[in-house]
Amino acid sequence: MKLKKVAMGITVVMASSLLLVGCGSSDDSSKDKKSTDTKQTETKKTAKTAKTDGTMTDGTYKLEEKNFDDKGWKGFMSIEVKDGKITKANYDYKNKDGKLKSEDADYEKAMKDKVGTGPQEYLKQLSDSLVKGQSASSVEVVSGATHSSDAFINYANQLIQAAQKADTTTISINNLAKMEDGTYKLEEQNYAHGYRVVFSMDVKDGKITKSDYNYVDKDGKLKSDDADYEKNMKAKSGTGPKEYIPALNKSLVEKQDVAAVDTVSGATNSSNQFKIYAAQLQNAAQNGNTDTIKVYNLVEAE
């Protein structure tokens, strides 16, 4: 349309041509302004989503399992974050008809008779525990619902990481899938007490063949090689990184099951953290996603 006007201006009079050129300049200025505004908006969005301090961005974050288990259920979960805090968590299972496990009276009765709890109770307990503790590691395992508790803790951890990156893309868990061969890595980005976690896991023929979990300082020194740290921790709790880190790695390779990994006495927090990250790496292996998982972990005041 613009080219047509310019052609008409040249045919009729020079004055019209000049007028059209003036109008063209105005349009270009408007486009430039819009372009600048768009870039500024994108910059603002980038600034909002580029947080690296481990705090959560407000929003709703979701996760879904892809496959139904042998009893016909698959899990889903969401958390809501407001003012940087988890205000609501929802964890449940649905069948092919969309019916919720928490509303299945027969399932509730059968499970409660057998183990003392049912989905009406333990699903709410897990969600309430997350809201109260504000971290996956603070969630209390519900007696009688250990498997669901472990899955909840794993999924809560991944949703919190999504909130730390302001990524509202629904997380897809390829549960029940065989792990694909490759090396899967996870790294914390922030240092706590001078160290951050680095974790890699090798999978071959669908089996974990190597687990390399450790902590590294800013100079690249490993916690398992830190003699002072070893001495101080061992004197206090009876074990140190030189013992518990290899023990955790060995246990994962031997058991091939995160839930079966032995908690090391004196290193409970590290053991729980190991299990949470190992479960996340197994999910990555089920998806065949070898991109390094970057964890913008929250570091409390030291």
Side-chain angles (χ1 to χ4, degrees), residues 59-61 77-82 85-91 127-128 130-132 134 152 159:
T60 300
Y61 302 89
M77 184 174 176
S78 67
I79 62 171
E80 293 181 15
V81 177
K82 187 175 182 181
K85 300 290 185 182
I86 301 170
T87 57
K88 184 179 179 181
N90 180 43
Y91 177 54
S127 294
D128 289 348
L130 178 61
V131 173
K132 180 181 178 181
Q134 295 291 306
F152 179 90
L159 287 170

Side-chain angles (χ1 to χ4, degrees), residues 37-85:
D37 290 343
T38 300
K39 288 179 180 179
Q40 289 177 343
T41 300
E42 289 176 351
T43 299
K44 288 179 181 179
K45 286 182 179 179
T46 300
K48 180 181 178 182
T49 59
K51 297 194 318 182
T52 59
D53 62 355
T55 57
M56 292 181 287
T57 297
D58 292 1
T60 300
Y61 302 89
K62 299 178 180 180
L63 176 150
E64 291 184 358
E65 292 180 345
K66 293 177 65 175
N67 308 305
F68 293 96
D69 62 23
D70 57 359
K71 294 181 180 178
W73 301 98
K74 66 177 180 178
F76 64 93
M77 184 174 176
S78 67
I79 62 171
E80 293 181 15
V81 177
K82 187 175 182 181
D83 298 327
K85 300 290 185 182

Side-chain angles (χ1 to χ4, degrees), residues 262-274:
D262 299 317
T263 297
V264 180
S265 177
T268 302
N269 290 336
S270 293
S271 297
N272 291 338
Q273 182 188 57
F274 175 89

Side-chain angles (χ1 to χ4, degrees), residues 27 37 63 67 100 120 137 153 167 195 268:
D27 289 343
D37 290 343
L63 176 150
N67 308 305
L100 299 179
Q120 287 183 15
S137 60
I153 291 169
D167 185 355
Y195 285 96
T268 302

